[in-house]
């Protein structure tokens, strides 16, 4: 089986590079294990493979950061993540500014911008203040709220998978989820390498699908990155 999905040709009205996302309703984001990080605890730039339901690599994502930020700020660090297709073309840029993080202070809220292609903003993820549960607003390119993401108490769950539900703005309908998937005892204990699944409606605006990929990265850093 071909392990790489071929990028789709252009579609009118679809940002260049996002054409393939019109064909899928779920993605697997697999963080690559870094041997040096696992052995000595030296934080390296995160790298991810984005796969479809058949296990084919669709995109490849790499964090751009400096050594000082990684070692001193840990999971709080600002970052830029470049998402590339299988031809090596950058199709999505995800940017997180440096901000403090605390569930007790509403002034310390996280946010993230998603561009597709680079230079063309398609949406934002903005944390909503809540003392116990992770809550986010998904906004379009005009900063208008479109969807919500709600996570479990303090970002944890007693179940192997941790689900962050994607909801309509009225919170009546659940239309998808971002799930942190259990990767096994050794991997969970000795690395911060995680697997995530994203499910969304097939007919969801392709720009919002790209923003959901960004939301997955933010959730990973906020709740599942360990501080060395």
């Amino acid at each position: 089986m071909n392990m790489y999905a071929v990028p789709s040709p252009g579609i009118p009205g679809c940002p260049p590079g996002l054409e393939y996302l019109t064909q899928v309703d779920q993605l697997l984001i697999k963080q690559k294990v870094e041997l040096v990080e696992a052995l000595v605890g030296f934080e390296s730039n995160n790298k991810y493979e984005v796969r479809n339901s058949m296990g084919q690599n669709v995109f490849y994502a790499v964090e751009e950061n400096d050594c000082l930020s990684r070692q001193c700020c840990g999971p709080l660090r600002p970052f830029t993540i470049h998402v590339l297709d299988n031809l090596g073309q950058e199709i999505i840029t995800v940017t997180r500014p440096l901000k403090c993080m605390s569930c007790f202070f509403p002034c310390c809220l996280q946010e993230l911008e998603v561009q597709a292609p680079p230079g063309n903003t398609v949406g934002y993820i903005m944390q909503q203040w809540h003392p116990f549960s992770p809550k986010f607003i998904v906004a379009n390119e005009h900063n208008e709220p479109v969807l919500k993401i709600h996570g479990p108490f303090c970002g944890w769950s007693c179940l192997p998978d941790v689900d962050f539900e994607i909801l309509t703005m009225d919170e009546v309908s659940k239309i998808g989820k971002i799930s942190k998937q259990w990767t096994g005892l050794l991997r969970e204990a000795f690395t911060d390498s995680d697997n995530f699944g994203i499910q969304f409606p097939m007919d969801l605006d392709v720009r919002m699908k790209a923003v959901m990929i960004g939301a997955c990265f933010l959730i990973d850093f906020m709740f599942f990155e360990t501080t060395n």
Side-chain angles (χ1 to χ4, degrees):
M1 183 180 67
N2 183 11
M3 293 303 295
Y4 296 91
V6 178
S8 304
I11 298 175
C14 177
L18 300 187
E19 294 85 359
Y20 184 77
L21 291 180
T22 63
Q23 308 172 32
V24 296
D25 60 1
Q26 57 183 308
L27 293 168
L28 172 66
I29 297 184
K30 185 179 181 67
Q31 186 175 352
K32 299 187 69 175
V33 177
E34 297 295 335
L35 182 60
V36 173
E37 185 174 341
L39 293 178
V40 302
F42 186 85
E43 186 74 26
S44 59
N45 280 329
N46 285 0
K47 301 178 181 65
Y48 304 86
E49 293 175 346
V50 183
R51 301 178 179 180
N52 59 20
S53 59
M54 296 182 291
Q56 296 174 312
N57 289 339
V58 177
F59 306 129
Y60 182 77
V62 60
E63 175 191 0
E64 177 189 348
N65 225 320
D66 60 86
C67 181
L68 185 63
S69 294
R70 294 196 307 271
Q71 307 314 315
C72 296
C73 299
L76 294 176
R77 65 187 183 265
F79 62 70
T80 298
I81 293 180
H82 305 281
V83 182
L84 315 175
D85 65 16
N86 287 324
L87 299 179
Q89 297 176 324
E90 184 173 355
I91 59 169
I92 301 172
T93 302
V94 180
T95 306
R96 175 203 194 186
L98 177 62
K99 289 194 173 186
C100 296
M101 187 166 65
S102 171
C103 59
F104 299 109
F105 300 102
C107 60
C108 301
L109 299 177
Q110 299 295 302
E111 61 183 47
L112 178 144
E113 178 185 359
V114 179
Q115 299 179 352
N120 178 51
T121 300
V122 294
Y124 302 88
I125 299 293
M126 298 174 291
Q127 183 185 9
Q128 287 185 296
W129 184 79
H130 191 279
F132 305 116
S133 300
K135 295 180 182 291
F136 302 90
I137 289 289
V138 182
N140 62 18
E141 65 272 25
H142 304 297
N143 236 330
E144 300 168 337
V146 176
L147 297 168
K148 292 184 177 182
I149 299 175
H150 287 182
F153 178 79
C154 290
W156 296 97
S157 172
C158 60
L159 301 175
D161 292 351
V162 183
D163 291 340
F164 290 74
E165 297 183 341
I166 304 172
L167 308 169
T168 54
M169 284 302 298
D170 57 12
E171 302 183 14
V172 172
S173 301
K174 172 185 171 183
I175 66 166
K177 64 181 180 179
I178 298 173
S179 300
K180 195 276 184 184
Q181 301 171 345
W182 175 254
T183 57
L185 180 60
L186 290 178
R187 188 163 172 174
E188 293 282 348
F190 294 106
T191 76
D192 57 9
S193 179
D194 301 308
N195 289 346
F196 289 86
I198 308 178
Q199 297 179 21
F200 39 58
M202 184 74 75
D203 60 354
L204 182 67
D205 189 315
V206 70
R207 297 168 181 82
M208 291 300 102
K209 292 183 180 182
V211 174
M212 291 302 167
I213 294 176
C216 184
F217 295 144
L218 181 60
I219 288 171
D220 181 27
F221 274 80
M222 288 182 65
F223 302 104
F224 304 107
E225 282 280 303
T226 56
T227 301
N228 293 323

